[in-house]
Amino acid sequence: MTTNVKLTSPRELLAVVLYLLGFHPTNSVVTLCLLNNKLGLTQRLDLPRPQDAHDVAKALLPSLVTENPDSVILVGYEDRAGDSLPALESLTEALHSHAVQVHDRLVVRDGRGRSLDCHSLSCCPPEGSTVPEPADVPGVISEFVGQGVSPHPDRASLVRQVEPGPQAAAVSRVMRSLQKTRSRAGDCLDVPRAELFKAWPRILEPEASSISAEDAATAAMSLLDIEIRDTMVAWLCPGTLGLDELGEEVQRLFSGLESALQREDIDPASTGAQIAVQDRLIRLCACLPDDLAAPALSILASFTWWRGDGALARVALARALRCEPDYRLALLLQQMVELAIRSGR
């Protein structure tokens, strides 16, 4: 996501990176794009083996060039001294070959960070400076805290939040019950769209505490209707699809969401409201067993990628494609994430 946070030093930048990624990175290379003095596209990959560093740089380069930044900051997170240098050097060479300026290159190890390109002992001692805790730079991270952003301790924790939770078994039981009481209940055309859609205002209600198994099952069934699924993407991600290009019946259904979610809540500037919507979508995905989850995970990925949260989009797509390897929307979104194509922003 693009942020207006004003940074005055590499130490402050390192305090912000975990909020941009959504988790504390380890053994990673992170790229941050700068455009008009704002932090834009942020990407992370596991540190490659030295012999694979060139391939990693080649994989990251297209998205960085597409973003057309004023400059790029590179950060290597390593457990052992020198582990991140091959990736940082390969990326630097690749960016320079495409006339992209490298603003700074930082290395973080054992809780200390240093710049590879600053040789002033007063600000960049060889042993590095302690990476500040959020409490040490409240003015820098206050925007994130105010929006309810709290980074996960690691990427595994980020992944776990979209995995099936305890309620997934209950949703499976509800679906089996529906299949027993309705003929061909798995075919969404046999159930009126209004009935399929009725759970969504409750699911997206920011103040709601939980999602019932019945609502989760109904929502999952609704997303088998491709037009409902695509309209949900259009509704949540302005600029991706034109709502007026979709059917009148489905447009009427979505007008009912106004009671739970005002249209301005999805405005690109309403970050706090977006995070509330994102949390509801995450909870829905955690309610769903694998055989029902791919459409909801794809909607979550579409919304988070539209917001610029590549880390969460990637983990949502990873589970979606594990559930349904040929799910076309997830495959399309995966290509967009890999190529850093973001619609409507």
Side-chain angles (χ1 to χ4, degrees):
M1 70 191 74
T2 300
T3 176
N4 294 319
V5 170
K6 294 182 179 180
L7 304 172
T8 61
S9 71
R11 292 180 73 249
E12 291 185 349
L13 171 69
L14 294 177
V16 165
V17 167
L18 61 160
Y19 286 88
L20 295 173
L21 292 177
F23 60 94
H24 293 251
T26 57
N27 287 311
S28 305
V29 58
V30 176
T31 63
L32 304 102
C33 292
L34 292 173
L35 184 62
N36 298 324
N37 294 318
K38 297 179 182 179
L39 285 172
L41 179 69
T42 301
Q43 298 186 97
R44 185 214 69 93
L45 286 178
D46 292 339
L47 279 182
R49 298 178 302 172
Q51 60 267 37
D52 296 330
H54 177 75
D55 292 336
V56 167
K58 186 177 179 181
L60 283 173
L61 187 62
S63 58
L64 295 174
V65 172
T66 299
E67 191 74 1
N68 193 28
D70 296 329
S71 61
V72 175
I73 298 173
L74 307 177
V75 188
Y77 290 84
E78 58 185 30
D79 286 342
R80 297 180 302 179
D83 277 1
S84 66
L85 293 183
L88 295 176
E89 294 291 349
S90 294
L91 274 167
T92 301
E93 181 182 348
L95 289 166
H96 285 168
S97 72
H98 283 72
V100 178
Q101 179 183 352
V102 177
H103 182 82
D104 203 352
R105 300 183 301 168
L106 307 172
V107 173
V108 180
R109 185 176 65 257
D110 296 331
R112 304 181 72 86
R114 66 183 180 92
S115 171
L116 295 178
D117 301 316
C118 176
H119 304 291
S120 170
L121 296 180
S122 60
C123 69
C124 295
E127 70 276 13
S129 301
T130 303
V131 175
E133 295 293 329
D136 298 330
V137 284
V140 175
I141 55 87
S142 59
E143 177 181 341
F144 299 98
V145 174
Q147 296 165 0
V149 177
S150 179
H152 291 261
D154 50 38
R155 188 176 184 275
S157 176
L158 186 71
V159 170
R160 283 195 295 272
Q161 69 176 338
V162 300
E163 289 296 314
Q167 200 170 16
V171 173
S172 289
R173 289 193 294 271
V174 170
M175 287 298 294
R176 287 196 296 270
S177 176
L178 290 172
Q179 289 166 356
K180 290 179 180 178
T181 57
R182 290 178 175 164
S183 63
R184 299 172 63 206
D187 186 345
C188 62
L189 296 178
D190 287 344
V191 183
R193 278 175 161 173
E195 183 176 347
L196 287 171
F197 197 78
K198 65 183 181 181
W200 279 106
R202 293 190 292 271
I203 287 173
L204 294 177
E205 170 56 55
E207 302 301 323
S209 58
S210 62
I211 299 173
S212 70
E214 290 74 15
D215 279 351
T218 302
M221 289 174 61
S222 76
L223 297 181
L224 298 176
D225 184 322
I226 300 302
E227 191 172 14
I228 288 180
R229 184 203 67 186
D230 290 349
T231 306
M232 184 64 71
V233 172
W235 176 266
L236 292 174
C237 312
T240 54
L241 295 170
L243 283 170
D244 55 354
E245 299 175 8
L246 301 165
E248 292 184 5
E249 179 189 2
V250 175
Q251 288 187 54
R252 286 195 298 272
L253 289 176
F254 275 80
S255 66
L257 283 182
E258 293 285 359
S259 61
L261 190 69
Q262 297 301 311
R263 203 68 188 107
E264 56 266 24
D265 289 345
I266 305 300
D267 184 270
S270 302
T271 307
Q274 291 175 22
I275 291 172
V277 173
Q278 177 176 291
D279 180 66
R280 302 301 293 172
L281 293 174
I282 289 171
R283 293 189 188 195
L284 173 63
C285 292
C287 287
L288 300 177
D290 282 350
D291 60 326
L292 298 173
L297 287 161
S298 298
I299 287 175
L300 172 62
S302 180
F303 182 62
T304 53
W305 181 238
W306 174 81
R307 295 189 61 237
D309 188 341
L312 185 51
R314 287 176 186 274
V315 300
L317 289 172
R319 184 187 170 205
L321 291 172
R322 189 189 74 216
C323 296
E324 293 191 40
D326 298 323
Y327 195 67
R328 292 182 62 183
L329 179 56
L331 290 170
L332 174 61
L333 289 167
Q334 184 182 56
Q335 286 187 312
M336 293 177 67
V337 171
E338 294 298 332
L339 298 175
I341 300 171
R342 285 192 283 159
S343 301
R345 301 299 296 213

